[in-house]
Amino acid sequence: MGKLSSVFSLRHFLVLSLALNVALISRVVYEGENWREEQIRALMADASEKSAHVSISSPSPPSPSPSTSSSMAVTSTEIKDDGERVINLDHGDPTMYERFWQQMGDITTIVISGWQSMSYFSDVKNLCWFLEPEFAKQIIRLHKIVGNAVTDNYYIVVGTGSTQLFQAALYALSPPNASEPMSVVSAAPFYSSYPSVTDFLKSGLYKWAGDANNFNKDGPYIELVTSPNNPDGSIRQPVVNRSGENLVHDFAYYWPQYTPISSPADHDLMLFTVSKATGHAGMRLGWALVKDKEVAKKMTSFIELNTIGVSKDSQQRAAKILQVISDSYEPVGNPKQSGSFFHFSHSMMEERWKALRSAAKQSGLFSLPEFPSSFCNFLGQAFGSQPAFAWLKCEGGIEDCGNFLKKHKILARNGKHFGASPEYVRVSMLDRDESFNLFTKRLSSLHLSQSKDHEEESP
């Protein structure tokens, strides 16, 4: 009987222990899910609808033509909108480009064996020793073909996206023994992440000093010049123009699908990113073209201490992507050019901006910036900028455009995050066709009566 009681107790103890552990794990998972719930709701659209969209694909020729974007895109009139689906255009996730690369098939596929890319080092003779030689070669080649940047007599520094390069540039341009942090400024509306990234580490070397238009402090400073600008798409020049200036030119959007390429950029420090150039944001790669050797060295040291280099696998994949794009434009006059990446993506951006302007006009509640037409040396035609983001303004007395759109389940980034009025929002133009077309359909249906209802509901 004592033996039976002992076994019975042990069994009960094990069952009880298992139950407690399962309960604890469930609680952790539950609390974790609750903690992320608001972010998930904001960042994710209806998963089933997205899955259906991704799965709708059919065999296509490897060289899509610009007209293909018209035939494949779902028009807004074909979309049924019950007003319940959340349309998230807050982030600039460039999933618009998926369609092009899907149609390209396996031409960009690479195979990396298990024994490859094992060393930290890519090229020990290079100043940026973790820069893959082939990636550097394809960067230079693409810039020369497009004509958007001078590369001769520049050092190339690779980073984990342009955000890391931006931080490396701030570090490299700030004197180590200054009596106070270097001021960092940018003309409003400025990229919303500039203030937070600048002050994130609370560095004693530099600090965010706000709108460059209002900056009047003596001494050295760093001015961030984004051109075309994020969020409003304008072509920018430095505005402070005083002694002690250190300029960082962010050219993430200086590509022919977004703006005419009028001349090659030639500045002391220029930033580029794969995510907006080709749409491959998941690679997390960017590069800087740097004139000054010491600045390039300090940027390399920052990345070395920060992440001990940059993924070699990502660089090899990016090199292949850039090579495929460049191959389609050489030799000059290649008949396949009309279906090549920049022609295709330029056509898509053109169609999207036409659709957005039409929706805004039909609604009567919104206005958009106008862009002057200029000649693009690369595409051989004149056109106005068609930025990756729309700087949308709510009219009709709507004071908080972001809040107004949110009530209609459209998520866009409020203008106040860019140092501007909340009457504005930044809307991504780079989402998948389904989301973008649903957005323009819903936007066109919003009218003055709804803005008045919004005012009555506001406190």
Side-chain angles (χ1 to χ4, degrees), residues 135 158-163 165 272-276 280-287 310-319:
F135 185 43
V158 65
T160 305
S162 59
T163 298
L165 289 165
F272 296 87
T273 174
V274 169
S275 65
K276 298 307 185 292
H280 292 85
M283 286 186 187
R284 305 310 309 128
L285 276 184
W287 65 92
V310 176
S311 169
K312 296 169 76 173
D313 290 1
S314 287
Q315 291 185 67
Q316 291 174 36
R317 185 175 173 219

Side-chain angles (χ1 to χ4, degrees), residues 266-399:
D266 185 8
H267 302 282
D268 289 342
L269 201 164
M270 303 182 287
L271 304 181
F272 296 87
T273 174
V274 169
S275 65
K276 298 307 185 292
T278 72
H280 292 85
M283 286 186 187
R284 305 310 309 128
L285 276 184
W287 65 92
L289 299 178
V290 188
K291 275 186 180 179
D292 186 273
K293 185 176 183 179
E294 293 306 311
V295 172
K297 278 185 178 180
K298 290 188 70 176
M299 290 181 69
T300 300
S301 295
F302 177 90
I303 296 170
E304 178 182 338
L305 292 171
N306 188 225
T307 52
I308 320 179
V310 176
S311 169
K312 296 169 76 173
D313 290 1
S314 287
Q315 291 185 67
Q316 291 174 36
R317 185 175 173 219
K320 182 64 175 178
I321 296 289
L322 300 190
Q323 178 196 331
V324 168
I325 293 174
S326 295
D327 284 349
S328 67
Y329 289 102
E330 288 187 334
V332 176
N334 185 340
K336 294 183 179 180
Q337 284 185 10
S338 61
S340 298
F341 175 75
F342 289 122
H343 283 75
F344 183 84
S345 53
H346 173 271
S347 178
M348 287 189 70
M349 292 304 299
E350 183 179 34
E351 288 179 4
R352 289 192 168 200
W353 270 94
K354 286 179 180 177
L356 179 58
R357 291 191 186 279
S358 175
K361 183 178 180 180
Q362 185 175 344
S363 166
L365 273 184
F366 307 97
S367 61
L368 291 159
E370 297 291 338
F371 302 102
S373 178
S374 59
F375 190 78
C376 177
N377 294 327
F378 175 73
L379 293 176
Q381 66 183 74
F383 63 94
S385 291
Q386 39 200 42
F389 297 101
W391 192 230
L392 189 71
K393 183 182 180 182
C394 281
E395 306 289 355
I398 300 172
E399 296 180 355

Side-chain angles (χ1 to χ4, degrees), residues 107-124:
I107 192 171
T108 58
T109 299
I110 62 171
V111 177
I112 300 175
S113 300
W115 57 267
Q116 291 179 291
S117 305
M118 295 185 69
S119 172
Y120 287 113
F121 302 96
S122 294
D123 184 359
V124 294

Side-chain angles (χ1 to χ4, degrees), residues 225-242:
V225 182
T226 306
S227 187
N229 189 43
N230 175 0
D232 65 356
S234 62
I235 303 301
R236 289 289 188 87
Q237 299 293 335
V239 301
V240 179
N241 296 316
R242 292 209 309 262

